Amino acid sequence: MSTGNILPKKYILSLVIFTKGVALVLAVALYFLLACGISGLLLFPAAREIVFTALLKRRQQIGARVQNWKERRSRTTKSFTQNLQASRLSTWQFIKKHHLILLAGTAVVLIPPLIAWMLSGKAMLGSYDDSGQVVNQQIAALLEGEQLVPPPPLPPEVFTTQEVAQVRPMLDSASRNWQQLDADFTQRLLMTFKIMKEQHGYDMVIIEGYRSPERQNALAQMGGSVTNAKAFQSYHQYGLAADSAFMRNGKLVITEKDPWAMRGYQLYGEVAESVGLTWGGRWKMMDLGHVEFRKPGVMKK
């Protein structure tokens, strides 16, 4: 079963995310310039006096024109029309002369809601939006009809070797209990493992599934090289995420320096995405062994 039919969708999504990012940067820059201008008016009396004087003068001019218009309102229709046109021209000239101030006021009102709207569409973790992801129809049919069974647990010493500890600290205390994972996520992950074994020859094993809030905070305190997510900012706390690695000759292989493993991670990401999972390998801070199932409404964005 090929997963190549989903690549164009991901490229389009990446372009949309990039466009949103550029728009956000421009909006923030405009808001910064606007804030500087308003701060200047508040901090420098001379600038404030110039603006207020101009506004007061214009107000007086408009008032004089209005009074003049009232005095002449009994004149002919032609005279009335001419005065009305003059008043419109004056207003337009006022807008042209003070368009920066008017634009600044408009921006103060509109930019914060715009930024909030743009941020509301971004995922809390990672930079890859899979809301429009298309699942391979053949695999979807398998997920509906076949209920896969989790494999038996491996001996604890597999996860406590010196090589593993250097790459994944605290892995010895991680949960690998399939029963703590969401049922839908479990079936999609098991299907991914099955395809990796039958089509690509990679034996896969889960190295961490459910993660308690306390453990999540403990890992976050170890720095960004481990995780940037705190408690309840990760799908691990909801049983909707898992970290996996490869078994080769009876040993756990996690390192990204191994070309065989790197090829496996790429295939793993493609297969996981084909069954509707989100792969951490597409994030800015890549997490190649991580997949998650983003159920709507589970975690706030």
Side-chain angles (χ1 to χ4, degrees):
M1 285 175 275
S2 174
T3 60
N5 58 338
I6 64 173
L7 289 178
K9 280 282 186 181
K10 290 180 274 185
Y11 291 150
I12 294 175
L13 290 173
S14 298
L15 179 59
V16 171
I17 294 170
F18 174 77
T19 305
K20 273 192 174 183
V22 172
L24 179 59
V25 171
L26 292 177
V28 172
L30 178 59
Y31 188 74
F32 174 76
L33 293 175
L34 175 62
C36 291
I38 295 176
S39 299
L41 291 176
L42 295 176
L43 297 176
F44 298 102
R48 190 166 59 249
E49 182 177 354
I50 292 173
V51 174
F52 288 166
T53 300
L55 292 176
L56 181 60
K57 181 178 179 181
R58 179 53 58 185
R59 179 183 177 184
Q60 293 172 348
Q61 292 175 350
I62 294 176
R65 290 182 183 277
V66 172
Q67 183 63 31
N68 188 36
W69 175 78
K70 287 181 179 181
E71 293 175 356
R72 295 183 298 173
R73 64 183 176 179
S74 60
R75 297 181 182 182
T76 63
T77 304
K78 181 179 180 180
S79 178
F80 172 79
T81 304
Q82 292 174 346
N83 288 335
L84 182 59
Q85 291 175 346
S87 178
R88 289 176 178 175
L89 179 60
S90 176
T91 303
W92 172 246
Q93 289 175 345
F94 173 77
I95 293 175
K96 288 182 64 177
K97 186 175 181 179
H98 302 285
H99 66 279
L100 292 178
I101 296 177
L102 295 174
L103 286 175
T106 304
V108 168
V109 175
L110 296 180
I111 288 181
L114 177 62
I115 294 177
W117 174 78
M118 294 178 67
L119 290 177
S120 67
K122 294 183 67 177
M124 180 179 294
L125 298 177
S127 58
Y128 173 63
D129 182 6
D130 64 337
S131 58
Q133 186 169 314
V134 178
V135 180
N136 184 288
Q137 296 301 318
Q138 292 179 329
I139 296 178
L142 289 175
L143 287 171
E144 292 179 1
E146 183 177 2
Q147 293 298 308
L148 301 176
V149 179
L154 294 173
E157 53 266 23
V158 172
F159 306 94
T160 57
T161 64
Q162 183 177 359
E163 295 81 0
V164 171
Q166 290 177 350
V167 181
R168 287 295 297 260
M170 297 177 60
L171 191 60
D172 56 334
S173 58
S175 171
R176 289 172 282 274
N177 185 354
W178 288 85
Q179 300 302 318
Q180 292 181 294
L181 300 179
D182 176 87
D184 291 340
F185 172 61
T186 295
Q187 288 302 308
R188 293 171 189 267
L189 186 58
L190 288 173
M191 178 62 69
T192 301
F193 283 11
K194 180 179 180 181
I195 295 173
M196 286 294 294
K197 172 63 175 178
E198 294 179 354
Q199 296 190 15
H200 304 297
Y202 282 87
D203 285 312
M204 301 206 64
V205 59
I206 186 173
I207 60 176
E208 181 165 12
Y210 170 78
R211 187 182 293 163
S212 68
E214 295 77 15
R215 177 175 172 83
Q216 186 70 49
N217 282 332
L219 292 174
Q221 291 176 358
M222 300 178 69
S225 60
V226 178
T227 181
N228 287 322
K230 297 181 180 179
F232 298 110
Q233 293 180 342
S234 169
Y235 281 93
H236 279 285
Q237 273 83 81
Y238 304 92
L240 290 167
D243 299 328
S244 303
F246 309 103
M247 289 295 293
R248 182 176 61 185
N249 299 327
K251 293 184 178 181
L252 190 64
V253 180
I254 303 179
T255 178
E256 300 171 6
K257 298 179 181 180
D258 188 322
W260 175 84
M262 281 300 298
R263 174 58 179 162
Y265 282 128
Q266 183 62 40
L267 294 170
Y268 178 57
E270 294 176 0
V271 175
E273 289 173 342
S274 75
V275 300
L277 301 178
T278 296
W279 178 44
R282 299 201 183 278
W283 296 346
K284 183 176 181 180
M285 190 183 78
M286 292 189 297
D287 192 352
L288 299 177
H290 178 95
V291 293
E292 58 190 39
F293 186 33
R294 295 183 175 180
K295 277 192 171 182
V298 172
M299 187 167 63
K300 293 182 179 180
K301 303 298 182 187

